[in-house]
Amino acid sequence: MNISEYKGVFVFAEQRDRKIQKVAFELIGKGKELAKELHTEVTAVLLGKDMKDEAKKLCYAGADKVIYAEDDLLDLYMTEPYVYTMHKIITEKKPEVVIYGATAIGRDMAPRVSARVHTGLTADCTGLAIEPDGDDPKKLNLMMTRPAFGGNLMATIACPNNRPQMATVRPGVMQKAKYSEQNPVSIEEYKIEIPKKCKNVEIIDVTKIIQQRMNIEDAKVLVSGGRGMKGPENYPMLEELADLLGGTISASRAAVDAGWVPKDRQVGQTGKTVRPNLYIACGISGAIQHLAGMEESDFIIAINKDESAPIFEVADVGIVGDIFKIVPLLIEELKKKKVASK
């Protein structure tokens, strides 16, 4: 493979219901950083139908260019039409780097595309960087970092001999670039004819799950519980505190593994990465795996009876004490403030 033929950073811009997903904007932000290191441009790839106006948002979010492929079969995600189209675009355009969100769609699509273009794929990355090759300093490689061995180690992986270098990136990890409608808009309408053999599935109906709680990745306030909560019967206390603050609850891996809290509430390397305005850690020791998922929060309050707990190293405010005494006091004070404001 002549890797010198491959140029540019491509970002797969995931859409659902003809709306570009948040992870796409996060990846464009990171893509711009990588493109600057590689002295190239970042291109967003959008597959869908009737999305020309929506495609402009990708340029406003920082993409230098958008490749937009439109077809009836690309309106709703189906594996074969999407993989076929992405494979065609990559084969023709020859990007050096391609990144996807580590979502249900990205995890289904990316490995199939990588197999068809005969390159590697690093899944569920939490870090991406450009570094010179050890054998040839003039050659730059994408260094892809991901949790390994159940989150107990961080592995950094390179793909030096094949292009494109491909990775799926965990949502919530990367920072979005500054959004501006003053950014120039450059959209290439990519013509595609998807063969009938690719339509091997028919979508009859789409049923959406209505979540009773807000997604922890979208919450501005998170009240998170760990092993120190001692059992599921104590989480209503955290729910009450979260409600008063306009947020929701989350948890450490220990609490999820114990069955106290559903998996979708887990914060950490093997859970979700969050960036709320306020993160309150209750009874969480602060293992490195958990810190990796929440240390970018704007303001962190930690409550733990162990004054040497690692969580205090990243906390803006640390409270050493019994959570079963401190949290009720917080709830009481917030209720007083709420009554007084009325």
Side-chain angles (χ1 to χ4, degrees):
M1 177 178 285
N2 184 3
I3 64 174
S4 64
E5 295 178 356
Y6 291 77
K7 303 289 182 185
V9 175
F10 277 24
V11 170
F12 171 65
E14 183 177 322
Q15 61 90 6
R16 299 189 186 204
D17 297 328
R18 301 183 185 175
K19 295 292 180 184
I20 295 167
Q21 299 298 290
K22 179 183 173 184
V23 67
F25 300 121
E26 295 170 356
L27 295 183
I28 289 172
K30 188 62 184 180
K32 284 178 71 68
E33 293 178 19
L34 300 176
K36 185 177 180 180
E37 293 286 327
L38 294 167
H39 306 291
T40 187
E41 293 184 335
V42 57
T43 300
V45 181
L46 176 64
L47 314 183
K49 182 185 176 185
D50 296 334
M51 293 191 66
K52 290 179 185 177
D53 288 338
E54 190 76 1
K56 295 177 184 176
K57 294 179 181 179
L58 296 166
C59 292
Y60 298 154
D64 297 299
K65 180 181 177 182
V66 176
I67 295 174
Y68 171 48
E70 183 174 76
D71 192 277
D72 288 346
L73 291 178
L74 301 175
D75 192 16
L76 293 172
Y77 178 75
M78 289 188 288
T79 301
E80 280 301 318
Y82 265 64
V83 171
Y84 177 86
T85 304
M86 196 68 180
H87 173 232
K88 293 283 283 186
I89 291 171
I90 290 173
T91 303
E92 182 181 323
K93 304 293 183 180
K94 293 186 183 315
E96 186 173 2
V97 172
V98 182
I99 52 179
Y100 309 75
T103 62
I105 288 176
R107 286 170 172 159
D108 181 70
M109 178 183 175
R112 290 172 166 84
V113 176
S114 70
R116 294 190 189 190
V117 298
H118 306 292
T119 192
L121 172 74
T122 304
D124 224 23
C125 293
T126 56
L128 298 175
I130 302 296
E131 291 184 10
D133 189 278
D135 297 324
D136 180 5
K138 293 182 179 180
K139 185 172 77 171
L140 299 175
N141 291 328
L142 177 66
M143 308 306 290
M144 301 165 278
T145 302
R146 71 177 304 276
F149 294 99
N152 294 308
L153 289 176
M154 297 299 287
T156 299
I157 300 164
C159 182
N161 301 319
N162 293 73
R163 294 294 185 271
Q165 301 162 98
M166 294 177 62
T168 61
V169 180
R170 188 176 298 183
V173 173
M174 305 304 177
Q175 292 272 24
K176 292 185 284 187
K178 186 177 179 182
Y179 188 93
S180 173
E181 294 189 2
Q182 303 304 312
N183 290 344
V185 174
S186 176
I187 300 174
E188 175 190 341
E189 294 185 33
Y190 187 83
K191 303 298 180 184
I192 186 77
E193 290 186 11
I194 301 173
K196 290 182 179 178
K197 66 179 182 180
C198 288
K199 190 181 179 182
N200 51 16
V201 172
E202 182 180 357
I203 297 176
I204 297 171
D205 191 21
V206 177
T207 302
K208 296 180 181 178
I209 298 173
I210 299 173
Q211 291 188 340
Q212 294 180 339
R213 294 193 183 117
M214 72 175 76
N215 190 324
I216 64 172
E217 292 169 308
D218 299 328
K220 299 297 183 186
V221 176
L222 283 175
V223 179
S224 200
R227 196 190 304 276
M229 293 306 296
K230 297 184 179 178
E233 66 278 3
N234 294 316
Y235 272 83
M237 175 176 68
L238 300 189
E239 297 241 20
E240 187 176 5
L241 178 59
D243 287 342
L244 287 166
L245 294 168
T248 189
I249 66 161
S250 55
S252 68
R253 178 176 174 176
V256 172
D257 286 350
W260 301 344
V261 184
K263 173 72 175 175
D264 69 334
R265 302 282 106 189
Q266 183 179 333
V267 171
Q269 283 179 355
T270 52
K272 295 181 179 179
T273 301
V274 296
R275 296 173 184 267
N277 299 134
L278 174 61
Y279 188 89
I280 304 177
C282 302
I284 294 174
S285 63
I288 189 170
Q289 294 89 344
H290 184 78
L291 298 183
M294 47 65 72
E295 61 187 347
E296 295 296 326
S297 303
D298 292 341
F299 198 85
I300 300 169
I301 298 174
I303 307 169
N304 200 298
K305 63 182 179 181
D306 179 6
E307 63 182 18
S308 62
I311 191 71
F312 291 126
E313 295 176 14
V314 299
D316 297 286
V317 173
I319 303 171
V320 179
D322 186 348
I323 53 176
F324 299 107
K325 293 179 180 177
I326 294 166
V327 172
L329 287 173
L330 284 172
I331 291 170
E332 186 180 336
E333 287 299 314
L334 286 167
K335 284 180 176 178
K336 286 179 183 177
K337 293 286 186 183
K338 203 167 185 179
V339 170
S341 65
K342 290 180 179 180

